[in-house]
Amino acid sequence: MLSSAMLGLKGARQVLNRTQGRCLGLRVLDMSRCFSATTAQRTSSQKTPSYSYVIVGAGSAGCVLANRLTEDAQESVLLLEAGPKDLLLGSVRLSWKIHMPAALTYNLCDDKYNWYYHTLPQAHMDNRVLYWPRGRVWGGSSSLNAMVYIRGHAEDYNRWQREGAEGWDYDHCLPYFRKAQSHELGGDRYRGNSGPLRVSRGKTNHPLHKAFIEAGQQAGYPFTDDMNGYQQEGLGWMDMTIHKGKRWSAASAYLRPALNRPNLKTEVRCLTTKVLFDGNRAVGVEYMQKGEKKRVFADKEVILSGGAINSPQLLMLSGVGNADDMKQHNIPVVQHLPGVGSNLQDHLELYVQQQCTQPITLYKAQKPFHMVKIGLEWLSVFTGYGATAHLESGGFIRSRPHVPHPDIQFHFLPSQVIDHGRVASKIEAYQVHVGPMRSTSIGWLKLKSANPMDHPILQPNYLSTERDVQEFRDCVKLSREIFTQKAFDPFRGPEVQPGPEIKSDADIDAFVRRKADSAYHPSCTCKMGSPSDPMAVVDSRTRVLGLERLRVVDASIMPSIVSGNLNAPTIMMAEKAADMIRGRPPLVDADVPVYQPPTLETQR
C-alpha cells in the first residue's frame, strides 16, 4: 500500500544537484571469467554466457534470491532488471526520491522508476480507469512503496495450505519472516533480530497518531503492541522498512551486500522478452538492452521474479499460458496453463478525511520553504519529517460478528491525500486509508499483443460482488465511528470526505464507486497449488507445472491475497524458495500461539 501524503522536495533538489553534480552509477565488475562457457548445443557466431541461475527482476523477491543463491560460492547468478539502479554514493543517496521516505510520491507520479500501468475501465466503478504504479528499478516496488511492514494473518498461510500450497502454512512461513527481519525492538518468538531486512517503529510521536489509537480503543477495539506478532487484531503502532532515516528496500537489504561477490553479475535497463526452451526445459532467456537483442543461458534454472504483472506476461510471451489466447497472437504454445494471468487479486481502498482544527498536520510541511528545510535536514543527518512516510499508526478489525480474523485494515495519516499525491493538499486535514482484506472480486490479465513493449491488459474486476460492496459500506461507517470518538475532540473539524451529505447506503455506494482506488497490491496471477488444480501455475516448490528448470518466485504465486500489505510476505516467500532451490530442509516452528477473539458472536 502506497501512501501519497508525503513531502515534496523540489526546492531541495537544486541543493542536491549543486552539491553532488550528475548522478553516478555503481561500478559493476566484468565477472565473465567466473562463469562457464557455452555448451555445444548453444551455437552462435560468438559464445553466449551461461550462469547457474538467471533471475529475471531485481524486485523484492529477485534481490533476496540473488543474495541467498550466491551464498553458495560454486553457483553463479545473473540478475536482470528492466529499470535502472537505485543510485547511491557514500552516505548521500543520489536517487533521493527513492531513499528519502517522505519523498515517495515522486516515484508514484512519473515513469522513471515505474511501469505506470493502468487498468481497463471498471464497470462497477463508474467506468473509471485506475492507476497502478509498479516498481521498475533495483528493489522493485519496495523502492516505491510506503515502507509499511505487515505480514498478514496466520490464517492466511493456513488457508494457502488448504488451497494446495503444501508446506506454506503459518508454521512453515513464520521462521522465514524471522530469518529475513532485524527488528529494532529485538527478537522474540515472532520477530527476527539478525536478518537483512531492517524494520523500525515511527519516531515522530505525532499527537494525531496517538489520537487515532486511543479513539480505536474508545470505539471498542483492542490495542495491539505488535500487529505482526501474536495479535494482529486491534489498533497500534506500525512497523516500517526504514533504517536510520532511509528507506530499507530489498535492494538495500539484500542486493547491495552481495554486489562484491564474484559469482553475482547484474544487468540493468534490459527488458527480458522471452524464456528460451529446449522442448519443455527452460535453458535461458532473451532480452533487449540498448536496442540490441541478447541471449543468456542457465545451467540449472531460470527464475522469474518480475511480479504479479510482469511474470505472467513473460510466461505468455514465451508460450506458457492459455493456448487459445497465445494462438491469437501467433505465439507458439510451449505449455498450456490456463491459470497464467488468471486469479488476479488486489486490495481496493479509500480515504475517509476529516478537517483538523489545529495546524498540526503535514499541510504546512508541503510549502516550498518548509520542504527545503526538511530536505536539507534529511540530506545532512537523515532525520526529521523527511525520515518517515508518516504512516506510523494503523490496525486491523473485524467488520461484523462471525468473521474469524480481521477483514478491514486501517492506515492513519496526519495529512490529506488527493489523486495519489499528484495534487497538493488543500487544507489542514487527517485521514484514514481503509479497505477490505479478502475481497471476492477476481480479475485477470492478458497480453495486448506479442510485442513485449506493450503493457498487458489489466482487468481487476473491482466491486463485482455484493459482498465487496457491503464490506466497503462497513469500511466507511466504521471509520467515521472512530473519528467521532472523544480522542479526536480537540482536532475534529468538518468531514471532508465522503462529506456530511453522504448518509444513506446508496450515497456511500456511489462515493465508493467514485473514489475507491487500488492499494497497489496486485497478486495471485501465477497461483501456487496442487498439480491437480487446473488453474495452478506453479507447484508448492515454485516450479512451473509441466516444465523443467523454470520457477516463479514473487507475489504472483500467492494462492490468495493475504490480509495486509504484500512486501513482507513476498520477501518471506523468496527466503523460503531460496532454501528449496538450494536443497535445504525447510524451517518450521510448530504451534506458535496466535490470538483468537474472545467470542465470534460479537464484532469487538
Side-chain angles (χ1 to χ4, degrees):
M1 128 99 179
L2 299 175
S3 156
S4 330
M6 320 315 167
L7 315 171
L9 280 181
K10 293 182 180 177
R13 184 187 307 165
Q14 294 178 346
V15 177
L16 176 62
N17 288 343
R18 285 199 300 270
T19 56
Q20 292 300 322
R22 298 179 63 84
C23 290
L24 303 176
L26 287 173
R27 178 169 171 260
V28 179
L29 300 176
D30 177 8
M31 299 299 176
S32 58
R33 65 183 182 276
C34 301
F35 306 114
S36 62
T38 54
T39 62
Q41 73 186 59
R42 300 167 188 161
T43 58
S44 64
S45 58
Q46 59 184 18
K47 287 187 176 181
T48 306
S50 79
Y51 304 79
S52 304
Y53 301 97
V54 175
I55 301 171
V56 180
S60 297
C63 288
V64 175
L65 293 171
N67 181 300
R68 294 305 189 191
L69 297 183
T70 55
E71 288 179 339
D72 299 330
Q74 72 275 16
E75 308 293 3
S76 56
V77 171
L78 174 65
L79 178 65
L80 301 174
E81 169 54 43
K85 302 171 185 176
D86 58 337
L87 297 174
L88 60 83
L89 178 65
S91 62
V92 177
R93 307 289 182 154
L94 297 183
S95 295
W96 63 269
K97 291 182 183 180
I98 288 177
H99 297 288
M100 180 182 186
L104 66 95
T105 53
Y106 285 108
N107 305 318
L108 296 182
C109 301
D110 64 47
D111 60 2
K112 183 175 181 180
Y113 307 118
N114 185 350
W115 286 102
Y116 220 76
Y117 291 120
H118 292 82
T119 70
L120 288 176
Q122 294 302 287
H124 305 286
M125 298 182 70
D126 298 342
N127 286 317
R128 291 164 53 213
V129 172
L130 273 64
Y131 171 48
W132 278 18
R134 306 303 302 156
R136 191 186 66 217
V137 62
W138 270 3
S141 292
S142 75
S143 292
L144 267 67
N145 69 8
M147 293 149 280
V148 173
Y149 179 89
I150 293 289
R151 295 176 175 178
H153 196 277
E155 276 307 303
D156 293 322
Y157 304 102
N158 295 334
R159 183 181 69 247
W160 283 9
Q161 171 103 351
R162 296 192 297 271
E163 291 171 340
E166 186 68 31
W168 289 84
D169 56 347
Y170 187 61
D171 289 352
H172 287 84
C173 289
L174 177 59
Y176 289 100
F177 280 118
R178 287 201 305 257
K179 180 180 181 180
Q181 182 187 52
S182 182
H183 201 294
E184 69 173 4
L185 299 180
D188 58 21
R189 188 80 184 267
Y190 305 90
R191 287 197 297 258
N193 62 2
S194 59
L197 188 67
R198 299 282 190 159
V199 176
S200 62
R201 293 275 170 92
K203 305 294 190 297
T204 63
N205 207 28
H206 198 287
L208 286 171
H209 284 299
K210 292 183 175 180
F212 178 71
I213 294 172
E214 186 178 347
Q217 294 173 75
Q218 291 169 352
Y221 303 110
F223 171 77
T224 176
D225 64 356
D226 186 356
M227 58 191 75
N228 291 309
Y230 166 70
Q231 180 180 330
Q232 184 197 58
E233 184 165 349
L235 275 61
W237 301 102
M238 293 220 280
D239 289 333
M240 301 178 294
T241 50
I242 295 174
H243 179 53
K244 295 183 177 179
K246 297 181 283 289
R247 176 192 293 274
W248 203 248
S249 68
S252 296
Y254 286 92
L255 182 55
R256 293 199 177 283
L259 286 176
N260 290 329
R261 294 174 186 167
N263 56 341
L264 174 62
K265 177 76 182 296
T266 63
E267 293 285 355
V268 293
R269 302 186 188 277
C270 51
L271 179 66
T272 304
T273 57
K274 185 187 298 184
V275 178
L276 303 173
F277 290 96
D278 179 6
N280 70 344
R281 175 182 294 179
V283 296
V285 301
E286 186 174 272
Y287 63 95
M288 295 293 297
Q289 190 178 44
K290 296 180 180 178
E292 181 183 354
K293 184 182 291 187
K294 299 181 180 181
R295 288 188 167 194
V296 65
F297 291 94
D299 296 325
K300 289 193 172 181
E301 291 185 341
V302 173
I303 305 169
L304 306 187
S305 295
I309 299 174
N310 298 84
S311 286
Q313 179 189 22
L314 182 56
L315 284 175
M316 291 185 282
L317 289 169
S318 308
V320 181
N322 187 296
D324 292 338
D325 291 343
M326 291 183 295
K327 287 174 182 175
Q328 290 181 8
H329 300 295
N330 297 315
I331 297 173
V333 177
V334 174
Q335 179 69 28
H336 173 59
L337 280 177
V340 175
S342 300
N343 195 41
L344 173 60
Q345 298 178 35
D346 186 28
H347 288 140
L348 197 65
E349 68 175 11
L350 49 77
Y351 306 153
V352 174
Q353 300 175 337
Q354 197 87 30
Q355 195 163 335
C356 187
T357 57
Q358 298 187 31
I360 58 173
T361 73
L362 302 182
Y363 172 68
K364 198 176 295 182
Q366 298 172 70
K367 301 300 181 183
F369 173 74
H370 292 281
M371 287 195 292
V372 172
K373 281 181 59 179
I374 291 165
L376 289 174
E377 179 181 353
W378 183 83
L379 286 168
S380 58
V381 290
F382 302 115
T383 60
Y385 267 26
T388 174
H390 297 278
L391 290 167
E392 297 187 358
S393 65
F396 295 85
I397 65 170
R398 290 177 296 122
S399 62
R400 56 194 181 280
H402 304 291
V403 173
H405 62 284
D407 59 339
I408 288 178
Q409 182 179 12
F410 298 117
H411 299 75
F412 180 79
L413 184 69
S415 186
Q416 178 191 33
V417 175
I418 305 173
D419 188 25
H420 306 266
R422 293 182 284 195
V423 176
S425 176
K426 305 292 187 183
I427 54 174
E428 295 273 2
Y430 50 87
Q431 69 180 38
V432 67
H433 305 211
V434 60
M437 287 293 92
R438 297 182 293 280
S439 295
T440 54
S441 297
I442 306 297
W444 48 262
L445 69 86
K446 295 185 178 183
L447 295 179
K448 182 178 180 181
S449 74
N451 182 355
M453 301 294 291
D454 285 344
H455 286 180
I457 301 168
L458 305 177
Q459 173 53 285
N461 207 22
Y462 292 126
L463 296 178
S464 57
T465 70
E466 180 54 38
R467 173 177 154 180
D468 291 358
V469 173
Q470 176 61 55
E471 285 184 339
F472 263 101
R473 286 184 209 139
D474 294 338
C475 286
V476 171
K477 293 175 181 179
L478 296 172
S479 299
R480 280 174 155 175
E481 182 185 35
I482 291 174
F483 278 177
T484 62
Q485 299 302 314
K486 184 178 180 180
F488 276 111
D489 285 353
F491 314 108
R492 188 189 311 105
E495 185 177 86
V496 179
Q497 184 173 288
E501 73 281 2
I502 305 298
K503 296 178 180 178
S504 68
D505 286 353
D507 291 340
I508 293 174
D509 293 349
F511 164 72
V512 171
R513 291 194 300 271
R514 188 170 67 253
K515 288 293 186 178
D517 230 316
S518 173
Y520 316 144
H521 294 164
S523 53
C524 309
T525 48
C526 294
K527 176 184 178 182
M528 176 165 47
S530 166
S532 62
D533 181 350
M535 299 308 291
V537 176
V538 302
D539 66 14
S540 295
R541 298 187 63 79
T542 75
R543 302 171 297 195
V544 178
L545 295 168
L547 300 171
E548 298 178 14
R549 304 196 335 188
L550 179 62
R551 293 183 195 256
V552 181
V553 182
D554 55 34
S556 72
I557 68 172
M558 293 180 175
S560 53
I561 197 165
V562 298
S563 305
N565 309 63
L566 299 195
N567 187 237
T570 301
I571 289 172
M572 176 278 293
M573 295 170 77
E575 284 275 19
K576 185 168 168 59
D579 272 2
M580 294 176 177
I581 296 166
R582 299 168 75 183
R584 295 183 163 197
L587 302 178
V588 61
D589 188 356
D591 302 320
V592 177
V594 176
Y595 171 83
Q596 300 294 329
T599 173
L600 290 179
E601 302 299 319
T602 59
Q603 174 198 354
R604 356 188 164 189

